[in-house]
Amino acid sequence: MKLRTLAFALAATMFAAPAVAKTKVVLWHAYRATEKKALEKVAADFNKSQGDVEVELVAIPYDAFGDKITAAIPRGKGPDLFIFAQDRLGDWAASQTIEAIDFWVTDETRDQFLEPTLEALTYDDQIYGLPMAFKTLALFYNKGLVKKAPTTTDELIAEAKKVTKGGKFGLVYENTSFWYQGTWLQGFGGAVFDKRGKPTLASPQVIDSMKFAQKLAHGSGVMPQEVTSTLVTSLFNQGKAAFVVNGPWFIGEIDKKVKWGVAPLPKIVDAGGKPARPFLTADGLMMSAKAKDKKAAFAVMTYFTGVDAAVTMATIGRQPTANKAAYANAKVKNDPVLAVFKKQLAVSRPTPNTPAMRMVWSPVTAAMNKIINQKADAASTMKATQDEVAKLVKTARR
């Protein structure tokens, strides 16, 4: 009997169907803390729901992320998919580092995303990524120092002056960062480039926005000198900053003891009451041009940007999600912070994703330091900066 049982067992083993190897899709990301936890849950849910595709998450330090993508993918050493903001999308598209995905994107897929998150991931009329979340700026305030958020910049300055005393400041934000300055620059009607891609950094609107930044930094008397991101967090957590201009990432930096709120940015009185228009970045799920199985990779993209995944990223990761339907979920809908950022999205504008944008950051950051910290003349400084950027763009095109 034992021999017969053993024979049957061996026969069953011989004729059993061989296990089918799953297609592995490698996804790089730079998420940390609650965002990382949420992404891991989405990956686990995906893997449980699939029979033939498996996603593998690989965490990459943010500071090295962009350069690793640029170096690794062309050599076939990079991921199949990765999550990154759209600011380097133009470079990667032009160098054929990433795959255009229009072939797979249906009208139904397009319609599930909030505008302008999909626009941010579009370059030269081609879609190069699906948006998972978006980041923009809003106005955080300490409820122990002020009762409510102002609706205009004049109200903001007036309330901030009441608080500024004894080591406390009414307004704190990274005013030498061009990404933050975009709030006023676009609010005044300025732009980085015109429709032909020519730099417009010395336009009257841009210069007026720089003068307004000078006013906030020096004329209003409500801000500390030489503001850094560390100082912003430190002052807010110590109860020494009433208002802070910051993004959704700031939530994870706020001390649990601080009672705070967040509101849309105020309308700019100096710009005729126009809304402040901060830059928008979209966390896009992009496909490597060297992806081993592009059909499987797109299946992962579809799942990770779908409504169920979006709800997970919003509720666990506190991400302002790009998926429209996710806001029908009660937890997402009733989250006051996510509601504010969704409202702010309506007047935000995507950070340019063209290769030329790479030439802008360093010169304008230097200009911001001169204008804010050295009180340099805004008009002449921006004229020199525009000339420098135009020269850099022209050289790069050659």
Side-chain angles (χ1 to χ4, degrees):
M1 288 296 291
K2 290 183 179 179
L3 289 173
R4 187 180 297 176
T5 302
L6 179 60
F8 278 121
L10 289 171
T13 302
M14 291 174 61
F15 291 102
V20 178
K22 290 187 176 183
T23 299
K24 182 179 288 187
V25 176
V26 178
L27 192 162
W28 285 7
H29 70 93
Y31 286 156
R32 298 180 298 174
T34 56
E35 287 184 327
K36 183 172 182 284
K37 181 180 178 182
L39 187 69
E40 288 172 344
K41 185 179 186 311
V42 172
D45 290 344
F46 175 83
N47 289 338
K48 288 178 183 177
S49 70
Q50 302 296 309
D52 54 357
V53 181
E54 181 179 41
V55 66
E56 177 185 331
L57 300 180
V58 179
I60 304 292
Y62 179 78
D63 291 344
F65 202 117
D67 291 339
K68 284 182 73 70
I69 290 293
T70 300
I73 287 180
R75 295 187 293 113
K77 302 292 185 180
D80 299 294
L81 299 172
F82 63 94
I83 301 170
F84 203 79
Q86 87 276 5
D87 58 323
R88 295 180 69 168
L89 186 146
D91 273 327
W92 288 330
S95 62
Q96 297 183 337
T97 299
I98 55 177
E99 184 83 4
I101 59 172
D102 288 70
F103 176 79
W104 289 288
V105 179
T106 63
D107 289 341
E108 183 181 1
T109 301
R110 291 171 188 265
D111 291 343
Q112 73 178 342
F113 301 114
L114 293 168
E115 288 293 343
T117 59
L118 193 61
E119 176 191 340
L121 293 161
T122 302
Y123 173 73
D124 201 17
D125 295 326
Q126 296 254 38
I127 299 173
Y128 282 92
L130 296 183
M132 288 186 64
F134 65 88
K135 291 180 173 67
T136 190
L137 297 172
L139 188 68
F140 289 80
Y141 59 98
N142 186 317
K143 293 183 176 181
L145 299 177
V146 290
K147 293 182 180 179
K148 62 179 182 178
T151 58
T152 70
T153 50
D154 279 4
E155 291 176 11
L156 171 65
I157 294 171
E159 288 298 313
K161 285 182 176 179
K162 296 176 183 178
V163 177
T164 307
K165 56 186 175 181
K168 295 179 181 179
F169 297 93
L171 175 64
V172 186
Y173 75 98
E174 293 180 66
N175 57 355
T176 58
S177 166
F178 183 48
W179 204 79
Y180 285 79
Q181 177 61 19
T183 299
W184 314 127
L185 183 149
Q186 296 180 137
F188 273 84
V192 181
F193 302 104
D194 62 17
K195 293 181 179 179
R196 296 173 297 170
K198 183 179 178 181
T200 54
L201 295 168
S203 70
Q205 295 87 351
V206 171
I207 292 169
D208 285 345
S209 77
M210 295 296 174
K211 291 178 179 178
F212 180 71
Q214 277 186 328
K215 171 185 173 180
L216 290 178
H218 305 293
S220 64
V222 299
M223 291 190 66
Q225 295 182 354
E226 299 188 16
V227 183
T228 64
S229 61
T230 302
L231 183 64
V232 172
T233 304
S234 176
L235 289 175
F236 196 76
N237 284 339
Q238 292 175 35
K240 295 182 178 180
F243 298 107
V244 164
V245 178
N246 225 319
W249 58 86
F250 185 59
I251 298 168
E253 300 173 8
I254 301 175
D255 192 297
K256 293 181 180 179
K257 296 178 182 178
V258 178
K259 293 182 179 180
W260 58 277
V262 64
L265 291 163
K267 293 181 179 179
I268 310 170
V269 175
D270 296 52
K274 295 177 182 177
R277 294 185 181 276
F279 282 134
L280 162 74
T281 61
D283 279 355
L285 192 51
M286 304 181 206
M287 186 188 300
S288 163
K290 301 284 187 179
K292 299 174 187 65
D293 188 324
K294 292 176 181 177
K295 183 178 180 181
F298 189 74
V300 174
M301 295 177 74
T302 302
Y303 185 95
F304 274 56
T305 56
V307 61
D308 291 339
V311 169
T312 298
M313 296 303 297
T315 54
I316 297 177
R318 297 299 298 279
Q319 278 193 342
T321 176
N323 188 294
K324 294 177 185 176
Y327 291 91
N329 178 278
K331 289 183 179 180
V332 180
K333 183 180 180 180
N334 296 325
D335 187 315
V337 175
L338 296 180
V340 166
F341 280 101
K342 184 172 181 281
K343 187 174 182 180
Q344 189 69 67
L345 174 69
V347 293
S348 301
R349 290 178 177 170
T351 307
N353 60 17
T354 63
M357 189 63 186
R358 184 163 46 90
M359 312 298 170
V360 172
W361 296 109
S362 182
V364 178
T365 297
M368 292 298 304
N369 273 284
K370 290 178 182 178
I371 292 169
I372 300 300
N373 291 333
Q374 300 173 29
K375 302 181 182 180
D377 177 69
S380 59
T381 301
M382 293 314 298
K383 175 63 170 63
T385 302
Q386 176 169 294
D387 292 344
E388 181 183 356
V389 170
K391 185 177 180 179
L392 288 170
V393 171
K394 187 176 181 181
T395 302
R397 285 174 178 168
R398 285 179 180 173

